[in-house]
Amino acid sequence: MEWVEVSIKTTTEAVEAVANILYDAGVAGVVIEDPNDLNFMETDENSWDYVDEAIFDNDYEGAIIKGYLPETPDLVDKIELIRQSVELLPQYGLDVGIGEVTTLEVHEEDWSESWKKYYKTTKIGRNIIIKPTWEDYQHDGDELVIEMDPGMAFGTGTHETTMMCVMELENYVQPNSTVFDIGCGSGILGITAAKLGAQKVIAVDIDEVAVDATRNNVNHNGVEEVVDIRQGNLMDVVTEKADIVVANIIAEVIILLSKDIRQFLVEGGIFIASGIILDKIDTVKESLISMGLEILKVDTMGEWAVIVSKVKDENHE
């Protein structure tokens, strides 16, 4: 099969929103090239070298998002929809930079091999190792190794937003925990929760490619008895309540989700939210607080933030 690479020049602030536009259009994979991430890694002694720095050797100082679409009869319409959607983002308060959309034809074998240079074995938190399935790694007895092959779904575990979510899951997952992974991508957060000992995990994504990738990775990690994978919107496919909900999306979606999140959490339940650009921290916090959640923690990594909140105990309000 032949593929078309859709490349969008934008800003760090708009990365997640632009990536979601690509997914909505049906892309089969996303690559994020953001010099701000590289600058952070160069200055933070606790960061890991997981990116081929050559990918940043271009003259554009902003972020570049690349998505991949199969060559189908409606391809031109999809590309035009992407252009129009990017042009609308400033109406939602996002600075998209130049917002330039370009295309390039690529062969499937070129994509399937070249993207692997973006993805290396990474240690996250105290004991979590995220390892691509094709790499060898000798681990010690205390480490939890999660093997991932994202295929053409987003979620290698090496983006700051994912790393912060993994670290917070390490802090909060207990042996009897029920965890919801909202927008599961390649399934990395749900698999992490299961490996940390969660009793039940529900992984939800609206995208079929993501659901398939999650299923493959769940099976590869041997946690299929714990992780229940569902395709659709949270409101439509989940009726249970969780001890922990983790969502690595974008600030605007988290704000929308905050309006209903309490109905999916038990009393005292934890909401781990990331994909939040630094400028949106206060807005997200205000939304969570207005919906009756208590802010427990705000942490940042590079240009991104994670906010951990908790459903208040109504007996002690």
Side-chain angles (χ1 to χ4, degrees), residues 107-311:
H107 297 286
E108 182 168 12
E109 59 269 21
D110 295 337
W111 154 253
S112 62
E113 290 303 315
S114 66
W115 72 272
K116 290 182 179 180
K117 69 184 179 181
Y118 296 87
Y119 187 19
K120 300 296 180 183
T121 297
T122 305
K123 181 177 182 181
I124 303 175
R126 297 182 295 275
N127 295 304
I128 306 294
I129 302 295
I130 308 297
K131 184 186 83 67
T133 55
W134 56 88
E135 283 200 350
D136 294 325
Y137 178 78
Q138 297 298 321
H139 66 93
D140 64 39
D142 293 329
E143 292 175 336
L144 291 178
V145 178
I146 299 168
E147 296 201 6
M148 297 295 295
D149 184 352
M152 287 188 166
F154 176 76
T156 62
T158 55
H159 193 267
E160 289 100 325
T161 59
T162 310
M163 293 167 71
M164 288 188 289
C165 286
V166 168
M167 288 188 282
E168 295 307 330
L169 287 171
E170 194 175 25
N171 290 333
Y172 288 102
V173 171
Q174 301 294 325
N176 62 344
S177 294
T178 294
V179 180
F180 295 169
D181 176 9
I182 308 305
C184 57
S186 61
I188 185 169
L189 298 179
I191 294 168
T192 297
K195 290 266 190 173
L196 286 167
Q199 185 177 47
K200 180 178 181 180
V201 176
I202 298 178
V204 180
D205 205 296
I206 197 168
D207 182 68
E208 184 178 356
V209 172
V211 169
D212 288 342
T214 295
R215 184 172 292 110
N216 290 336
N217 285 314
V218 163
N219 292 337
H220 187 81
N221 283 275
V223 292
E224 60 271 18
E225 296 298 319
V226 177
V227 183
D228 178 2
I229 307 163
R230 304 180 188 180
Q231 182 177 352
N233 288 309
L234 172 67
M235 311 296 174
D236 299 329
V237 298
V238 177
T239 57
E240 299 93 330
K241 287 181 178 287
D243 301 289
I244 301 167
V245 172
V246 58
N248 183 20
I249 316 178
I250 60 172
E252 287 73 17
V253 176
I254 292 168
I255 290 169
L256 291 174
L257 186 59
S258 68
K259 298 176 182 178
D260 299 291
I261 196 65
R262 287 189 62 160
Q263 74 183 71
F264 295 99
L265 282 166
V266 300
E267 188 173 287
I270 300 295
F271 182 30
I272 301 169
S274 193
I276 304 164
I277 198 75
L278 298 181
D279 289 345
K280 302 287 185 179
I281 291 175
D282 289 341
T283 304
V284 174
K285 285 174 60 179
E286 289 168 5
S287 178
L288 293 169
I289 292 169
S290 70
M291 294 300 150
L293 280 81
E294 175 187 356
I295 305 299
L296 298 182
K297 180 180 182 182
V298 178
D299 204 359
T300 62
M301 186 179 289
E303 299 292 316
W304 303 96
V306 62
I307 298 177
V308 181
S309 57
K310 177 181 178 181
V311 176

Side-chain angles (χ1 to χ4, degrees), residues 70-90:
E71 288 191 342
T72 56
D74 60 349
L75 177 62
V76 174
D77 292 336
K78 288 183 177 179
I79 293 172
E80 182 59 28
L81 176 63
I82 291 169
R83 285 197 175 100
Q84 293 175 1
S85 299
V86 171
E87 289 175 358
L88 287 173
L89 286 179

